[in-house]
Amino acid sequence: MVPSFVSITAFLAISLETVLIPVVMKPAAYAALFVSSTVLAFPVQLQKRDDIDVDILQFALTLEHLENAFFKQALSNYTQDDFTNANFTEDFYTQLKYITHDEETHVSFLETALTAAGVTPVEACSYSFPVTTPQEFVQLAAIIDGVGISAYLGAAPLVTSKQYLTVAGSILATEALHQAASRNAVGEIPMANPFATPMGANAVYSLASQFIVSCPSSNMALPFRAYPALELAQGMPVAQNISVSFSAAGQLPSSQSYITFVSGLDVVPVAATVSDNLVSADVPAQLSGQSYAFLTSDNSQNLTDANILFGPAILEVTPLSPTFNTSLL
Ligand SMILES: *[C@@H]1O[C@H](CO)[C@@H](O)[C@H](O)[C@H]1NC(C)=O
Ligand SMILES: *[C@@H]1O[C@H](CO)[C@@H](O)[C@H](O)[C@H]1NC(C)=O
Ligand SMILES: *[C@@H]1O[C@H](CO)[C@@H](O)[C@H](O)[C@H]1NC(C)=O
Ligand SMILES: *[C@@H]1O[C@H](CO)[C@@H](O)[C@H](O)[C@H]1NC(C)=O
């Protein structure tokens, strides 16, 4: 489930505090912090094994395996010339190689952390990605990286070990650099939203499972499930305030339902209209950049297994031209 507003605000207050403390620290304290975090960095040793942390790390590894396979397939399927013929720059191709190396490193890092905690790491699955050109690949890369960011952010408040939280934040920041490179390469504004979007594990799994064909039976079962799919029934990007329609992988409800849109830290339910097996609502003005939509049975803004009927669908919303206040110069 997507953390509620209350928990997001609490989470922000905590992270802000952690960010601010080092700023007022004396240089010696700063150095001590640096040294201790360097010592912590690798390998991560789990003092007290907590099942929720193991589930989250295994889930993170599941996603990193998927990304690792996705980027490696692309570098194996398409040459540098294929990318430059599709109008991507040589610099971008170089960045793709670094991204692929990062994903491979995330996989081995998490495997090491899990092994150190006495847990057998999940193995890679077999995947099917609906892309046949460099352009389609980079477009999907931007989306998959965005989903990965949402996964780490949504899991952050559930992590009990602060050490693991640092690891999650560290990987998240690098995934955001990856997404920025891919969004930039396909002409999307990387920083379309001042906030990244936290998303619950079941919602993330609903998206990731669409690319997973089968997994080794020896993989530890994870306590996550996929919701029935919801898909945007029109081209992207979409604009704020326009009506959008979705198709659902199942019978639409006959009682009043809601499209609950999620973008950055905004969770915005809008009464849905059902017609011709499509469900429609207007895109709220709060949406910007890679956003998500759920069909929900209520408008509580509290997304849970109990009220999510279908979703999430992914929608890319064109950001407004930025305005800002320079009067404090
Ligand atoms: C790579 O090519 C294989 C074989 O055609 C295809 O199944 C796979 O989806 C492609 N993957 C990517 C990321 O392009
Ligand atoms: C690459 O850019 C050129 C020049 O703008 C254009 O003619 C061509 O169609 C583009 N190729 C692709 C694959 O987008
Ligand atoms: C959407 O509507 C809001 C509120 O009326 C407005 O502030 C915003 O500029 C609109 N967005 C677009 C893209 O027209
Ligand atoms: C959200 O819904 C869940 C499940 O119904 C409930 O346990 C939780 O307290 C709710 N949270 C808020 C902030 O209302």
Side-chain angles (χ1 to χ4, degrees):
M1 80 179 186
V2 171
S4 70
F5 250 106
V6 179
S7 61
I8 288 171
T9 330
F11 179 55
L12 284 180
I14 293 164
S15 8
L16 199 58
E17 197 177 25
T18 336
V19 168
L20 288 179
I21 289 166
V23 175
V24 297
M25 269 185 178
K26 300 223 161 61
Y30 220 99
L33 186 82
F34 183 70
V35 169
S36 70
S37 52
T38 312
V39 171
L40 285 183
F42 192 87
V44 171
Q45 299 279 352
L46 191 62
Q47 259 83 50
K48 178 171 69 72
R49 186 185 138 172
D50 217 315
D51 285 347
I52 181 74
D53 288 350
V54 168
D55 288 344
I56 290 170
L57 281 195
Q58 292 279 42
F59 188 52
L61 179 56
T62 302
L63 299 178
E64 295 291 349
H65 274 312
L66 185 151
E67 292 183 327
N68 188 31
F70 181 54
F71 283 96
K72 281 196 179 145
Q73 277 186 19
L75 288 185
S76 143
N77 285 5
Y78 317 115
T79 62
Q80 175 167 335
D81 280 351
D82 291 334
F83 277 98
T84 52
N85 289 340
N87 291 341
F88 293 104
T89 63
E90 281 182 29
D91 281 350
F92 178 69
Y93 183 78
T94 302
Q95 290 174 17
L96 273 183
K97 292 194 282 186
Y98 279 92
I99 293 174
T100 307
H101 174 256
D102 288 353
E103 302 302 1
E104 184 178 70
T105 308
H106 291 168
V107 166
S108 57
F109 182 92
L110 291 170
E111 285 175 343
T112 304
L114 281 157
T115 305
V119 178
T120 306
V122 291
E123 286 171 30
C125 303
S126 63
Y127 309 96
S128 171
F129 300 108
V131 298
T132 52
T133 65
Q135 183 72 32
E136 287 172 354
F137 159 70
V138 182
Q139 202 88 50
L140 185 58
I143 290 174
I144 287 181
D145 281 327
V147 173
I149 292 163
S150 292
Y152 280 104
L153 200 49
L158 306 176
V159 175
T160 63
S161 150
K162 286 191 196 292
Q163 212 175 342
Y164 279 3
L165 192 55
T166 304
V167 168
S170 173
I171 295 178
L172 186 159
T174 300
E175 296 293 346
L177 294 173
H178 298 172
Q179 196 204 23
S182 298
R183 285 181 65 91
N184 197 50
V186 293
E188 291 168 353
I189 301 288
M191 56 300 291
N193 196 310
F195 300 98
T197 308
M199 197 155 54
N202 286 349
V204 169
Y205 184 65
S206 305
L207 294 171
S209 63
Q210 296 175 17
F211 306 117
I212 297 177
V213 177
S214 67
C215 295
S217 57
S218 52
N219 277 3
M220 176 185 137
L222 295 177
F224 304 120
R225 70 175 185 96
Y227 304 118
L230 188 68
E231 204 181 326
L232 191 65
Q234 64 204 79
M236 291 200 285
V238 300
Q240 294 171 356
N241 305 335
I242 67 161
S243 171
V244 284
S245 299
F246 302 88
S247 59
Q251 183 70 43
L252 289 167
S254 50
S255 53
Q256 179 66 62
S257 58
Y258 300 83
I259 300 284
T260 297
F261 293 94
V262 185
S263 187
L265 299 177
D266 288 308
V267 179
V268 191
V270 179
T273 309
V274 174
S275 162
D276 290 339
N277 288 320
L278 290 177
V279 56
S280 310
D282 289 352
V283 175
Q286 292 95 326
L287 267 58
S288 193
Q290 184 164 323
S291 306
Y292 305 95
F294 297 82
L295 187 68
T296 54
S297 56
D298 66 36
N299 59 355
S300 65
Q301 295 185 304
N302 179 18
L303 286 161
T304 70
D305 286 357
N307 61 9
I308 294 174
L309 304 173
F310 296 91
I314 292 171
L315 63 169
E316 174 63 26
V317 184
T318 305
L320 292 180
S321 292
T323 57
F324 35 82
N325 182 351
T326 55
S327 66
L328 290 176
L329 280 177

